[in-house]
Amino acid sequence: MRVRILGVGMGPQHVTPEVADALRGCDYVIAAQKADDDGLLAARRAIAAAHGVEVVAVPDPARDRDPSSTATTAEYGVAVRDWHAARVDAYAQVLRERGGTAAFLVWGDPSLYDSTIRVVESLAEQWTAQHQPAHLPLEYDVLPGISAPQLLAARHRIVLHRVGQPVHITTARRLRDDIDAGQRNLCVMLTGTLDLTGLDDWSIWWGANLGTDSEELVSGRVADVSAAIGDARARAKDAAGWVMDVYLLRGPATHASAP
Ligand SMILES: C[S@@+](CC[C@H](N)C(=O)[O-])C[C@H]1O[C@@H](n2cnc3c(N)ncnc32)[C@H](O)[C@@H]1O
């Protein structure tokens, strides 16, 4: 029994020869089927079909998204943990029924804001606990893909950090706390609504639906480009029916931090 976690970047054009080769050696792809996520399932289906591999779509268990019960970081963590546990059960059933080598096609790279590695880790633990030592363990490996921050940087032709300085990768949910803690160069994912109040003089490099036909890019001083970002976001959503965006946000350069 083997599971391969394959990063597929932002679409078929980013599937590396290494990932393509691994995918062709798999018996099937397991893909979550979300009511609001058909675009991503369709992208996975296209990649699997291009390499002659069947997709087993598994209805994704519902996640608690009620703001009143997931407001704190701890509550959010519990909601995500419960969701992962339900996913583990759903995928374990497919693996038991089908056996062989299964692939998970991860959007972007598996190392960034993606639960597949954690879910498969739990699957492997559950597998070992439930099967006799005489059985083979569930083995898994991970192959990388191009992530949204990498594509954002390439499209804007920028380096994500100043010379020799760090970049802080975070979520919109944590943005204010991270800025309050002193972060001045942040790559923001899982964006939700864009609220850049009070950051007028910061610089932003923003991108939506990167790597797709509905890609949108905007960059500049926050106060100057906020409205343009709102318009571009709406355009991307109209064109594709969904929108995912990512941005780099950088505080005004001080003498010490330039260039
Ligand atoms: C669940 S995370 C997955 C990230 C992915 N594993 C990666 O390596 O980029 C989804 C977030 O990634 C970013 N993202 C993913 N695809 C994107 C795209 N095509 N264009 C812009 N941002 C994208 C958005 O911030 C989105 O909310």
Side-chain angles (χ1 to χ4, degrees):
M1 182 68 74
R2 188 170 187 209
V3 171
R4 310 208 68 179
I5 302 172
L6 308 177
V8 296
M10 308 277 111
Q13 75 281 20
H14 291 159
V15 174
T16 63
E18 183 186 39
V19 164
D21 203 40
L23 179 54
R24 281 193 293 271
C26 292
D27 298 303
Y28 54 97
V29 165
I30 300 181
Q33 181 161 26
K34 300 182 187 184
D36 61 350
D37 199 23
D38 283 344
L40 285 183
L41 179 61
R44 290 188 175 100
R45 282 194 193 284
I47 291 168
H51 297 91
V53 184
E54 176 197 3
V55 173
V56 180
V58 179
D60 206 31
R63 192 180 111 194
D64 183 359
R65 292 178 191 271
D66 180 353
S68 64
S69 58
T70 58
T72 67
T73 302
E75 287 168 342
Y76 177 76
V78 170
V80 171
R81 204 184 55 213
D82 290 350
W83 178 47
H84 286 180
R87 277 183 152 184
V88 169
D89 290 344
Y91 297 153
Q93 196 180 333
V94 176
L95 290 174
R96 268 194 302 272
E97 284 167 11
R98 296 200 166 226
T101 300
F104 287 92
L105 303 185
V106 175
W107 191 249
D109 184 77
S111 69
L112 274 178
Y113 297 107
D114 186 273
S115 55
T116 310
I117 292 179
R118 291 192 191 96
V119 166
V120 172
E121 227 168 38
S122 304
L123 260 175
E125 279 164 21
Q126 201 184 78
W127 196 266
T128 308
Q130 287 174 359
H131 293 78
Q132 295 301 310
H135 284 70
L136 286 176
L138 188 155
E139 288 175 355
Y140 63 95
D141 66 350
V142 181
L143 298 185
I146 292 175
S147 65
Q150 283 177 290
L151 195 50
L152 177 79
R155 288 292 192 261
H156 284 289
R157 302 180 298 173
I158 55 168
V159 178
L160 287 176
H161 48 76
R162 292 191 171 105
V163 178
Q165 297 296 309
V167 56
H168 184 79
I169 299 181
T170 191
T171 65
R173 175 183 264 272
R174 300 193 53 94
L175 179 60
R176 293 292 158 172
D177 286 348
D178 292 344
I179 289 175
D180 289 348
Q183 297 294 343
R184 290 294 176 269
N185 189 51
L186 307 101
C187 180
V188 185
M189 303 178 72
L190 300 173
T191 51
T193 356
L194 191 72
D195 174 13
L196 301 176
T197 317
L199 304 175
D200 283 4
D201 287 327
W202 287 50
S203 300
I204 187 167
W205 292 264
W206 174 91
N209 295 11
L210 295 166
T212 74
D213 293 343
S214 51
E215 177 172 296
E216 294 281 347
L217 297 170
V218 177
S219 64
R221 183 177 161 265
V222 164
D224 298 338
V225 298
S226 288
I229 290 175
D231 293 347
R233 199 171 196 278
R235 264 197 315 274
K237 179 142 198 200
D238 279 352
W242 55 273
V243 61
M244 282 199 289
D245 54 350
V246 58
Y247 52 92
L248 183 76
L249 196 56
R250 187 170 290 172
T254 60
H255 184 63
S257 62

